[in-house]
Amino acid sequence: MPIRNRRTAAAAAMFLTGLTVLCAAPAHGTPGAVTTRQKPAAREGGPPSNSRPQPDLSPRQTARESTPANSKAATHTVASGDTLWDIAQQTLGDGLRWDSVYTLNRQTIEDEARRHGYASGDRGHWIFPGTVLALPEPSMSHTRPSSRFVPGPCPTTHEELAELKGIRCGSLVVPENRAHPSSRTLRLAVAMVPSASPKPHPDPIVFFAGGPGVDALGDIPELTKAGLNRDRDLVVMSQRGTLPSQPTPLTCPEIDRFYQQRVRLVYDAPSTGDRYARAAARCRDRLTAQGVDLAAYNTSENAADVADLRRALGIPRWNVLSHSYGTQLALTYMRMFPQGIRSVTVDGVVPPSVATPGWTWSSVKESLDAILSACAAQSSCRQRYPDLGATFLRLVRQLEARPVTTHVTVPQAGRVKVVLDGGALLNWMVRASHEAEIFPLAVDELAHGLPQRIAEQWAAMRLPGTVGEFAHGLSLSVWCSEWVPYETPREERAHALRAFPGLPQSVLAQPPQLAFLRQACQAWNVPKAPASIRAVTRSDIPTLALSGSFDAQTGAQWGRYVARTLSRSKVVTLAGLAHGGTLFTNTCGAQVITSFFDDPKDPDTGCVASVKPKPFVIGDAGGGTGE
C-alpha cells in the first residue's frame, strides 16, 4: 500500500487431539507443510469459529516426506496432514493444480465437510482422513504450460528506461491461471538493468513492487538512483495485471475518477461507499467482458510467475528486494519456491499471516505514537505543542460531528472543493507521516480554524491524479480474496477499538486507506483464497527486515514480527522515516541493503544510529505558519 510523494500515491486507495484431525488448507505453500487442528464446534448456519488459520506463531508440524509424483494414479485417499496442495504435488507433479483436484471432487469434499458438522468445505480447506478423492485423468493432468522469456523492446509506458545504458527488456509468457491449462496466456514486462560495476557479482537482485498494483518498472529510476545496482544486475518484472501486462492490464479508470471526486465528499458517508462500490462494479464488468479471470490475479500466481522468471532467465541464484505488498509476495515466494533464493530484503513489511483491513489500524497508531514521542523529545516542539496527541484526536471527533468544507488551489487542478471530516483527517495523518516535521504545525493551525494546509495536502493526494495507470483490479483481487475473507466485521472493529478507543464509531468503521473495502469486494466478487495463503513463513534464508519508525502503512512492529520465524534474519528500523523512505529516499537505507546483499551474515549497519527525525517546524502561538 505505498503512499510516497511520487506517482504511486494512487495506491493509497490503496491481514490437537480431537474426534477428527483436520487437514490444512489446499496449501499454496511449501509442499507437504501442514497444520493439524482440533475440530472446532460448528456454529449454526456458519463455518466453525476458527475455520481460518490463526495469526499467531505457534509451530507447525513437520511435514511427512513427499512421495514421487504419479500422474497416472486414479484416486488418492486423504491421510492425516494432507492438503490439496500436497495431493496435487504428489500425484500431478504440480501443487498449483490443487484447484483441479478440488473441482473434480467438489461434491465429495462438501458432503464430507457437512457430515463433520461444517457449513462447507471452504474450497477444500477442510478435508478429512479416509476421504477418497478422484484424480484428473492423464489427459487432464499433463504438466502445466511452461513459461518462457521472449526478448523485446522496453514498454513505451516508461520512456525514461531508454536512458539507462545497457538495459534489456522482454516479456515472460505465463498461463493466466495455472490450475486451468487451457487458460489464456499473459505477457509480463521484464527489464534487466546492468550493474554499475564492470565486474558485478554473479547473483542479481530481483525487485518486487508494492501496491498491489504498482508497475515495478516505474520504480527503476529510483532504484538505480539509490545505487541498488551498484555491483549487481537488477531484474524487474511488472506483476500480472499491472500497466504493461498484456493482453489486459487491470487498471480501473472508474476507480481513479472516484478517488478524484472523494476529496469533495464526506469520507465516512455511506453514499461515498456506494460510489466506490459502483466504480468497482463497473471496472469488474468491463474487465470480465474482455475475458479476464479476476480470480487468477493473486499472490500465489505472482509467486509462481517469479519462480518461472528465474528459471526462464537461467539464473541459478538471486537476491530478492521487496517493498510494501511486495514483501507479502516475497514471504509467500520464500515459502512456496525457496530454491534459488540467496537472500531477501523486506522493506515496509506486510505479513501474509495477519494482513487484513483491520490490521492497518495498528500501523497508524504506531506511527502517531512515534511522531508524538519525537515531538516530546524536541524541547521546542514539546513546549509549543504540549497536548498534540489529544488535540489531534479531539479534532477527529469534532470534524466527524461537523465536517469542514473549504476551497484550496492544487497545482494543475486549480481551485477545488475539499471536505474534511474525521475519517479524512485520520487518513491525512497517513499522508502527513511522510512529512512529519509539519504535522504539529498543521494540526495546530486546524485547531485555530485554519484548515488550508491540511486540505491542500489531502486534495493533492488525488488531484490532478493519474487515470488508468494504477492496477486497482490487482489490488481488489488480492485484498478481496486474501485479506477480507479472513477477518469478520467484528474482528475488524476490534482492531480499530484497540488502536483508538475514543474515536466515533463512524470513523472506526472504515480501516485506514481501505474505507468501504468490504463493500467494494462484494461488487468485485472473487472467491476466497485457499487458507494456506495466510501461513506463517518459516525459513532459514538470510532476511533483512527494514522499516521506518514513522511508517503509518506498514508499522515497524511487523518487521520484528516476521523475523521471529526467520532464523537468519536481521531487523533494522530507521528513525523518523515513513513508508518507502527507507528504500527510495534514504541513503543509509540503501547502504544497509547493498551491504546485506554483499554479506548477509554481517551487514554494515553503522549508519543507522545517525538517522534521526527531521526537526519539527514550530509555528507562532495562535496558529501562525512559522514559515
Side-chain angles (χ1 to χ4, degrees):
M1 299 178 295
I3 304 180
R4 302 199 296 274
N5 297 325
R6 48 196 303 281
R7 62 175 181 82
T8 54
M14 269 232 297
F15 351 150
L16 275 186
T17 56
L19 296 177
T20 308
V21 178
L22 304 182
C23 300
H28 282 207
T30 305
V34 301
T35 303
T36 58
R37 299 180 177 85
Q38 182 178 358
K39 176 189 172 183
R43 293 177 294 177
E44 187 167 346
S49 59
N50 65 340
S51 62
R52 58 177 63 88
Q54 301 300 305
D56 57 31
L57 295 173
S58 56
R60 296 187 297 170
Q61 288 189 352
T62 303
R64 58 187 173 82
E65 293 296 323
S66 297
T67 56
N70 177 16
S71 61
K72 295 182 180 181
T75 63
H76 177 90
T77 301
V78 177
S80 177
D82 267 348
T83 71
L84 290 189
W85 172 281
D86 295 330
I87 295 168
Q89 181 70 30
Q90 296 162 18
T91 62
L92 306 179
D94 185 357
L96 285 168
R97 293 203 59 206
W98 68 268
D99 189 54
S100 63
V101 178
Y102 172 74
T103 300
L104 189 61
N105 295 276
R106 180 185 288 110
Q107 193 62 52
T108 297
I109 291 171
E110 297 301 325
D111 287 348
E112 281 295 299
R114 285 189 288 270
R115 191 170 70 83
H116 284 82
Y118 293 85
S120 76
D122 198 7
R123 287 184 58 79
H125 177 77
W126 302 111
I127 56 177
F128 301 87
T131 304
V132 178
L133 301 178
L135 298 174
E137 295 294 331
S139 61
M140 297 173 56
S141 60
H142 58 76
T143 303
R144 60 181 168 86
S146 60
S147 302
R148 66 188 188 280
F149 177 75
V150 180
C154 294
T156 57
T157 51
H158 300 288
E159 296 179 358
E160 66 273 17
L161 297 184
E163 301 174 6
L164 294 175
K165 184 178 180 181
I167 189 171
R168 295 181 294 125
C169 294
S171 299
L172 182 73
V173 181
V174 298
E176 183 177 47
N177 189 330
R178 289 175 170 84
H180 302 290
S182 61
S183 70
R184 66 179 187 167
T185 58
L186 306 178
R187 299 177 70 91
L188 310 181
V190 178
M192 292 166 283
V193 183
S195 168
S197 169
K199 295 182 179 180
H201 293 291
D203 42 280
I205 297 170
V206 60
F207 175 65
F208 300 168
V214 170
D215 174 17
L217 269 62
D219 284 327
I220 289 177
E222 290 185 81
L223 294 170
T224 56
K225 182 179 179 180
L228 273 305
N229 67 324
R230 182 193 66 188
D231 51 17
R232 281 180 169 80
D233 294 343
L234 180 63
V235 180
V236 180
M237 179 173 67
S238 290
Q239 295 166 23
R240 53 177 50 214
T242 55
L243 185 59
S245 177
Q246 298 297 326
T248 312
L250 270 59
T251 54
C252 292
E254 303 88 346
I255 295 178
D256 289 322
R257 287 188 285 269
F258 160 74
Y259 283 137
Q260 291 177 351
Q261 297 166 1
R262 192 170 66 177
V263 300
R264 306 174 179 92
L265 306 173
V266 176
Y267 186 87
D268 293 330
S271 58
T272 302
D274 291 341
R275 288 185 181 222
Y276 180 30
R278 288 197 297 269
R282 288 194 296 271
C283 182
R284 184 190 192 284
D285 291 345
R286 177 176 53 80
L287 291 174
T288 54
Q290 296 175 26
V292 175
D293 179 1
L294 295 176
Y297 293 80
N298 55 56
T299 305
S300 297
E301 291 283 3
N302 276 340
D305 292 341
V306 176
D308 284 353
L309 177 65
R310 184 184 66 81
R311 289 190 292 265
L313 295 179
I315 297 174
R317 292 200 311 167
W318 61 11
N319 305 277
V320 174
L321 173 62
S322 60
H323 172 62
S324 196
Y325 164 73
T327 68
Q328 178 179 341
L329 172 57
L331 291 163
T332 303
Y333 174 54
M334 292 168 68
R335 182 168 51 81
M336 289 177 61
F337 304 103
Q339 303 83 2
I341 304 177
R342 175 178 176 267
S343 67
V344 176
T345 293
V346 287
D347 168 69
V349 182
V350 181
S353 59
V354 297
T356 60
W359 164 81
T360 60
W361 284 104
S362 63
S363 295
V364 174
K365 181 64 164 59
E366 183 180 11
S367 175
L368 179 60
D369 288 348
I371 293 172
L372 295 177
S373 294
C375 177
Q378 179 183 322
S379 60
S380 58
C381 188
R382 180 177 67 252
Q383 293 169 10
R384 176 65 184 82
Y385 311 109
D387 300 312
L388 180 60
T391 300
F392 176 72
L393 296 178
R394 172 174 57 82
L395 290 169
V396 172
R397 293 191 293 270
Q398 290 180 354
L399 288 177
E400 190 67 6
R402 296 181 299 277
V404 168
T405 300
T406 187
H407 290 78
V408 297
T409 300
V410 178
Q412 301 180 27
R415 190 79 170 164
V416 297
K417 172 185 173 182
V418 178
V419 175
L420 293 177
D421 64 342
L425 182 60
L426 188 75
N427 280 268
W428 164 80
M429 183 265 148
V430 178
R431 160 67 175 80
S433 66
H434 292 259
E435 297 177 271
E437 64 272 17
I438 59 88
F439 177 78
L441 173 63
V443 170
D444 186 63
E445 289 176 345
L446 180 61
H448 287 86
L450 300 173
Q452 282 72 26
R453 186 188 301 271
I454 289 177
E456 287 172 358
Q457 291 189 336
W458 180 241
M461 287 178 63
R462 294 298 180 188
L463 298 171
T466 56
V467 175
E469 292 189 9
F470 183 81
H472 295 286
L474 176 58
S475 295
L476 288 172
S477 284
V478 170
W479 292 337
C480 296
S481 65
E482 300 174 16
W483 289 28
V484 171
Y486 288 98
E487 179 179 65
T488 66
R490 177 177 294 183
E491 291 167 338
E492 181 181 307
R493 175 182 169 80
H495 281 291
L497 286 170
R498 280 195 295 270
F500 297 102
L503 292 187
Q505 301 306 314
S506 53
V507 173
L508 299 179
Q510 305 306 329
Q513 303 184 76
L514 301 176
F516 301 103
L517 178 60
R518 196 172 294 274
Q519 189 173 344
C521 285
Q522 291 176 349
W524 200 247
N525 192 28
V526 290
K528 180 180 180 180
S532 58
I533 198 65
R534 312 273 306 166
V536 171
T537 299
R538 304 175 188 277
S539 176
D540 61 359
I541 297 173
T543 304
L544 170 67
L546 190 63
S547 304
S549 68
F550 285 1
D551 189 337
Q553 295 155 264
T554 56
Q557 62 185 295
W558 300 112
R560 298 188 294 271
Y561 175 87
V562 299
R564 292 166 63 183
T565 54
L566 303 173
S567 61
R568 299 170 65 192
S569 60
K570 186 170 187 64
V571 178
V572 172
T573 301
L574 298 179
L577 296 182
H579 194 65
T582 47
L583 172 61
F584 292 97
T585 62
N586 184 265
T587 301
C588 179
Q591 289 176 354
V592 171
I593 293 171
T594 54
S595 173
F596 171 75
F597 286 147
D598 287 345
D599 185 2
K601 293 182 179 179
D602 188 25
D604 182 0
T605 60
C607 64
V608 173
S610 66
V611 179
K612 305 291 184 182
K614 292 181 180 179
F616 293 98
V617 176
I618 307 302
D620 298 331
T625 64
E627 298 179 337

